[in-house]
Short mmCIF file of all heavy atoms in Angstrom, two decimals:
data_model
loop_
_atom_site.label_atom_id
_atom_site.label_comp_id
_atom_site.label_asym_id
_atom_site.label_seq_id
_atom_site.Cartn_x
_atom_site.Cartn_y
_atom_site.Cartn_z
N VAL B 140 -16.76 -100.56 -10.88
CA VAL B 140 -17.40 -99.25 -11.04
C VAL B 140 -17.00 -98.40 -9.84
O VAL B 140 -17.07 -98.86 -8.70
CB VAL B 140 -18.95 -99.38 -11.09
CG1 VAL B 140 -19.59 -98.02 -11.21
CG2 VAL B 140 -19.37 -100.28 -12.23
N ALA B 141 -16.56 -97.19 -10.13
CA ALA B 141 -16.18 -96.26 -9.05
C ALA B 141 -16.93 -94.95 -9.30
O ALA B 141 -17.77 -94.87 -10.21
CB ALA B 141 -14.67 -96.04 -9.05
N GLY B 142 -16.62 -93.93 -8.50
CA GLY B 142 -17.33 -92.66 -8.73
C GLY B 142 -17.23 -91.74 -7.54
O GLY B 142 -16.32 -91.86 -6.71
N CYS B 143 -18.16 -90.81 -7.49
CA CYS B 143 -18.16 -89.82 -6.41
C CYS B 143 -19.58 -89.58 -5.92
O CYS B 143 -20.55 -89.91 -6.61
CB CYS B 143 -17.52 -88.51 -6.88
SG CYS B 143 -18.43 -87.71 -8.20
N THR B 144 -19.65 -89.01 -4.73
CA THR B 144 -20.94 -88.77 -4.07
C THR B 144 -20.96 -87.36 -3.49
O THR B 144 -20.01 -86.96 -2.81
CB THR B 144 -21.14 -89.76 -2.89
OG1 THR B 144 -21.01 -91.10 -3.37
CG2 THR B 144 -22.49 -89.57 -2.22
N VAL B 145 -22.02 -86.62 -3.76
CA VAL B 145 -22.27 -85.37 -3.02
C VAL B 145 -23.39 -85.66 -2.03
O VAL B 145 -24.44 -86.19 -2.42
CB VAL B 145 -22.66 -84.20 -3.95
CG1 VAL B 145 -22.87 -82.94 -3.13
CG2 VAL B 145 -21.60 -83.99 -5.02
N HIS B 146 -23.14 -85.36 -0.77
CA HIS B 146 -24.12 -85.72 0.26
C HIS B 146 -24.22 -84.62 1.32
O HIS B 146 -23.28 -83.81 1.48
CB HIS B 146 -23.73 -87.05 0.92
CG HIS B 146 -22.42 -87.01 1.66
ND1 HIS B 146 -22.34 -86.75 3.02
CD2 HIS B 146 -21.14 -87.16 1.24
CE1 HIS B 146 -21.07 -86.76 3.39
NE2 HIS B 146 -20.32 -87.01 2.33
N PHE B 147 -25.36 -84.61 2.00
CA PHE B 147 -25.49 -83.74 3.17
C PHE B 147 -24.61 -84.29 4.29
O PHE B 147 -24.35 -85.49 4.36
CB PHE B 147 -26.94 -83.66 3.63
CG PHE B 147 -27.80 -82.84 2.71
CD1 PHE B 147 -28.55 -83.44 1.70
CD2 PHE B 147 -27.85 -81.46 2.84
CE1 PHE B 147 -29.33 -82.67 0.84
CE2 PHE B 147 -28.62 -80.69 1.99
CZ PHE B 147 -29.35 -81.30 0.99
N VAL B 148 -24.17 -83.38 5.13
CA VAL B 148 -23.30 -83.78 6.24
C VAL B 148 -24.13 -83.94 7.50
O VAL B 148 -24.92 -83.05 7.84
CB VAL B 148 -22.20 -82.72 6.45
CG1 VAL B 148 -21.41 -82.98 7.73
CG2 VAL B 148 -21.27 -82.70 5.24
N ASP B 149 -23.98 -85.09 8.13
CA ASP B 149 -24.55 -85.26 9.46
C ASP B 149 -23.43 -85.61 10.44
O ASP B 149 -22.25 -85.46 10.09
CB ASP B 149 -25.71 -86.29 9.46
CG ASP B 149 -25.23 -87.70 9.11
OD1 ASP B 149 -24.01 -87.94 9.13
OD2 ASP B 149 -26.09 -88.56 8.85
N GLU B 150 -23.78 -86.07 11.62
CA GLU B 150 -22.75 -86.24 12.65
C GLU B 150 -21.87 -87.47 12.43
O GLU B 150 -20.88 -87.66 13.14
CB GLU B 150 -23.38 -86.26 14.06
CG GLU B 150 -24.44 -87.29 14.31
CD GLU B 150 -25.82 -86.92 13.76
OE1 GLU B 150 -25.96 -85.91 13.03
OE2 GLU B 150 -26.76 -87.66 14.03
N HIS B 151 -22.19 -88.29 11.41
CA HIS B 151 -21.35 -89.47 11.13
C HIS B 151 -20.50 -89.22 9.88
O HIS B 151 -20.92 -88.50 8.96
CB HIS B 151 -22.23 -90.70 10.93
CG HIS B 151 -23.14 -90.97 12.10
ND1 HIS B 151 -22.68 -91.39 13.32
CD2 HIS B 151 -24.48 -90.84 12.22
CE1 HIS B 151 -23.70 -91.51 14.15
NE2 HIS B 151 -24.81 -91.18 13.51
N LEU B 152 -19.36 -89.86 9.82
CA LEU B 152 -18.41 -89.62 8.73
C LEU B 152 -18.97 -90.09 7.38
O LEU B 152 -19.38 -91.24 7.24
CB LEU B 152 -17.10 -90.38 9.03
CG LEU B 152 -16.00 -90.21 7.99
CD1 LEU B 152 -15.46 -88.79 7.99
CD2 LEU B 152 -14.88 -91.21 8.24
N ASP B 153 -18.98 -89.21 6.39
CA ASP B 153 -19.36 -89.52 5.01
C ASP B 153 -20.69 -90.27 4.97
O ASP B 153 -20.82 -91.31 4.29
CB ASP B 153 -18.24 -90.36 4.33
CG ASP B 153 -16.93 -89.59 4.26
OD1 ASP B 153 -16.96 -88.35 4.16
OD2 ASP B 153 -15.86 -90.23 4.34
N HIS B 154 -21.70 -89.73 5.63
CA HIS B 154 -22.88 -90.53 5.92
C HIS B 154 -24.24 -89.91 5.53
O HIS B 154 -25.19 -90.64 5.28
CB HIS B 154 -22.89 -90.84 7.43
CG HIS B 154 -24.11 -91.56 7.89
ND1 HIS B 154 -25.21 -90.91 8.40
CD2 HIS B 154 -24.41 -92.89 7.91
CE1 HIS B 154 -26.14 -91.80 8.71
NE2 HIS B 154 -25.67 -93.01 8.43
N GLY B 155 -24.36 -88.60 5.47
CA GLY B 155 -25.70 -87.98 5.34
C GLY B 155 -26.38 -88.30 4.02
O GLY B 155 -25.82 -88.95 3.14
N ALA B 156 -27.62 -87.81 3.89
CA ALA B 156 -28.45 -88.10 2.70
C ALA B 156 -27.71 -87.73 1.41
O ALA B 156 -27.08 -86.68 1.32
CB ALA B 156 -29.76 -87.34 2.79
N ILE B 157 -27.84 -88.60 0.43
CA ILE B 157 -27.11 -88.43 -0.85
C ILE B 157 -27.88 -87.51 -1.79
O ILE B 157 -29.07 -87.73 -2.06
CB ILE B 157 -26.88 -89.82 -1.49
CG1 ILE B 157 -25.86 -90.61 -0.66
CG2 ILE B 157 -26.40 -89.67 -2.93
CD1 ILE B 157 -25.69 -92.06 -1.09
N VAL B 158 -27.20 -86.50 -2.29
CA VAL B 158 -27.81 -85.59 -3.26
C VAL B 158 -27.67 -86.16 -4.67
O VAL B 158 -28.63 -86.24 -5.42
CB VAL B 158 -27.17 -84.18 -3.19
CG1 VAL B 158 -27.77 -83.25 -4.23
CG2 VAL B 158 -27.32 -83.60 -1.79
N LEU B 159 -26.45 -86.54 -5.03
CA LEU B 159 -26.27 -87.24 -6.30
C LEU B 159 -24.94 -87.97 -6.33
O LEU B 159 -24.03 -87.69 -5.54
CB LEU B 159 -26.43 -86.31 -7.50
CG LEU B 159 -25.45 -85.20 -7.79
CD1 LEU B 159 -24.19 -85.70 -8.46
CD2 LEU B 159 -26.13 -84.21 -8.74
N GLN B 160 -24.88 -88.93 -7.25
CA GLN B 160 -23.65 -89.70 -7.46
C GLN B 160 -23.36 -89.76 -8.95
O GLN B 160 -24.28 -89.73 -9.77
CB GLN B 160 -23.81 -91.13 -6.91
CG GLN B 160 -24.04 -91.16 -5.41
CD GLN B 160 -24.12 -92.56 -4.85
OE1 GLN B 160 -24.98 -93.32 -5.26
NE2 GLN B 160 -23.26 -92.88 -3.90
N ARG B 161 -22.08 -89.85 -9.29
CA ARG B 161 -21.69 -90.08 -10.68
C ARG B 161 -20.75 -91.27 -10.70
O ARG B 161 -19.82 -91.34 -9.89
CB ARG B 161 -21.01 -88.85 -11.28
CG ARG B 161 -21.99 -87.72 -11.56
CD ARG B 161 -21.29 -86.47 -12.01
NE ARG B 161 -20.77 -86.57 -13.35
CZ ARG B 161 -21.31 -85.98 -14.43
NH1 ARG B 161 -22.40 -85.24 -14.29
NH2 ARG B 161 -20.76 -86.10 -15.61
N ALA B 162 -21.01 -92.19 -11.60
CA ALA B 162 -20.24 -93.44 -11.65
C ALA B 162 -19.41 -93.51 -12.93
O ALA B 162 -19.81 -92.97 -13.97
CB ALA B 162 -21.20 -94.63 -11.60
N ILE B 163 -18.27 -94.16 -12.83
CA ILE B 163 -17.43 -94.43 -14.01
C ILE B 163 -16.92 -95.87 -13.93
O ILE B 163 -16.76 -96.41 -12.83
CB ILE B 163 -16.21 -93.47 -14.09
CG1 ILE B 163 -15.39 -93.51 -12.80
CG2 ILE B 163 -16.64 -92.05 -14.42
CD1 ILE B 163 -14.04 -92.83 -12.92
N PRO B 164 -16.64 -96.46 -15.09
CA PRO B 164 -16.06 -97.82 -15.05
C PRO B 164 -14.59 -97.75 -14.64
O PRO B 164 -13.91 -96.77 -14.94
CB PRO B 164 -16.19 -98.30 -16.50
CG PRO B 164 -16.27 -97.05 -17.32
CD PRO B 164 -16.88 -95.99 -16.46
N VAL B 165 -14.14 -98.78 -13.94
CA VAL B 165 -12.71 -98.91 -13.69
C VAL B 165 -12.12 -99.67 -14.87
O VAL B 165 -12.60 -100.76 -15.22
CB VAL B 165 -12.45 -99.68 -12.37
CG1 VAL B 165 -10.96 -99.82 -12.12
CG2 VAL B 165 -13.12 -98.97 -11.21
N LEU B 166 -11.11 -99.07 -15.52
CA LEU B 166 -10.56 -99.66 -16.74
C LEU B 166 -9.43 -100.63 -16.41
O LEU B 166 -8.76 -100.49 -15.38
CB LEU B 166 -10.02 -98.55 -17.65
CG LEU B 166 -11.00 -97.42 -17.97
CD1 LEU B 166 -10.33 -96.33 -18.79
CD2 LEU B 166 -12.23 -97.97 -18.69
N GLU B 167 -9.23 -101.61 -17.30
CA GLU B 167 -8.12 -102.56 -17.11
C GLU B 167 -6.79 -101.81 -17.01
O GLU B 167 -5.88 -102.23 -16.32
CB GLU B 167 -8.06 -103.51 -18.31
CG GLU B 167 -9.30 -104.36 -18.49
CD GLU B 167 -9.19 -105.69 -17.78
OE1 GLU B 167 -8.11 -106.28 -17.81
OE2 GLU B 167 -10.20 -106.11 -17.18
N SER B 168 -6.70 -100.69 -17.74
CA SER B 168 -5.44 -99.93 -17.81
C SER B 168 -5.25 -99.00 -16.61
O SER B 168 -4.20 -98.36 -16.48
CB SER B 168 -5.42 -99.10 -19.09
OG SER B 168 -6.57 -98.29 -19.14
N ASP B 169 -6.26 -98.90 -15.73
CA ASP B 169 -6.17 -97.95 -14.61
C ASP B 169 -5.14 -98.37 -13.57
O ASP B 169 -4.92 -99.57 -13.34
CB ASP B 169 -7.53 -97.84 -13.89
CG ASP B 169 -8.39 -96.72 -14.43
OD1 ASP B 169 -7.84 -95.68 -14.84
OD2 ASP B 169 -9.63 -96.89 -14.44
N ASP B 170 -4.54 -97.36 -12.93
CA ASP B 170 -3.93 -97.58 -11.62
C ASP B 170 -4.68 -96.63 -10.67
O ASP B 170 -5.59 -95.91 -11.10
CB ASP B 170 -2.41 -97.34 -11.64
CG ASP B 170 -2.03 -95.94 -12.08
OD1 ASP B 170 -2.88 -95.02 -11.99
OD2 ASP B 170 -0.88 -95.75 -12.52
N ALA B 171 -4.29 -96.63 -9.41
CA ALA B 171 -5.06 -95.83 -8.43
C ALA B 171 -5.03 -94.35 -8.80
O ALA B 171 -6.01 -93.63 -8.57
CB ALA B 171 -4.51 -96.06 -7.03
N HIS B 172 -3.91 -93.91 -9.42
CA HIS B 172 -3.80 -92.48 -9.76
C HIS B 172 -4.69 -92.09 -10.93
O HIS B 172 -5.39 -91.09 -10.89
CB HIS B 172 -2.34 -92.13 -10.08
CG HIS B 172 -1.45 -92.21 -8.88
ND1 HIS B 172 -1.53 -91.30 -7.85
CD2 HIS B 172 -0.50 -93.10 -8.54
CE1 HIS B 172 -0.65 -91.63 -6.92
NE2 HIS B 172 -0.03 -92.73 -7.31
N SER B 173 -4.68 -92.91 -11.97
CA SER B 173 -5.51 -92.57 -13.13
C SER B 173 -6.98 -92.65 -12.75
O SER B 173 -7.80 -91.84 -13.19
CB SER B 173 -5.19 -93.48 -14.32
OG SER B 173 -5.52 -94.82 -14.02
N LEU B 174 -7.31 -93.62 -11.90
CA LEU B 174 -8.70 -93.72 -11.44
C LEU B 174 -9.09 -92.47 -10.64
O LEU B 174 -10.15 -91.88 -10.86
CB LEU B 174 -8.89 -94.97 -10.58
CG LEU B 174 -10.30 -95.19 -10.05
CD1 LEU B 174 -11.30 -95.36 -11.18
CD2 LEU B 174 -10.35 -96.40 -9.11
N ALA B 175 -8.21 -92.04 -9.74
CA ALA B 175 -8.50 -90.84 -8.94
C ALA B 175 -8.67 -89.61 -9.84
O ALA B 175 -9.56 -88.78 -9.60
CB ALA B 175 -7.38 -90.61 -7.93
N ASP B 176 -7.85 -89.52 -10.90
CA ASP B 176 -7.97 -88.38 -11.82
C ASP B 176 -9.32 -88.38 -12.52
O ASP B 176 -9.95 -87.33 -12.68
CB ASP B 176 -6.86 -88.44 -12.89
CG ASP B 176 -5.50 -88.07 -12.31
OD1 ASP B 176 -5.44 -87.56 -11.18
OD2 ASP B 176 -4.49 -88.31 -13.01
N ARG B 177 -9.75 -89.57 -12.95
CA ARG B 177 -11.04 -89.62 -13.67
C ARG B 177 -12.20 -89.41 -12.71
O ARG B 177 -13.21 -88.82 -13.09
CB ARG B 177 -11.16 -90.93 -14.45
CG ARG B 177 -10.19 -90.93 -15.66
CD ARG B 177 -10.45 -92.04 -16.65
NE ARG B 177 -10.31 -93.34 -16.04
CZ ARG B 177 -11.31 -94.18 -15.82
NH1 ARG B 177 -12.53 -93.88 -16.20
NH2 ARG B 177 -11.10 -95.34 -15.23
#
Side-chain angles (χ1 to χ4, degrees):
V140 178
C143 63
T144 304
V145 181
H146 64 94
F147 287 95
V148 171
D149 65 14
E150 57 280 8
H151 304 291
L152 181 69
D153 299 329
H154 176 266
I157 290 172
V158 178
L159 67 80
Q160 297 183 301
R161 287 174 72 105
I163 55 168
V165 179
L166 307 176
E167 298 268 321
S168 55
D169 268 326
D170 59 22
H172 292 290
S173 63
L174 180 62
D176 286 348
R177 289 192 299 111

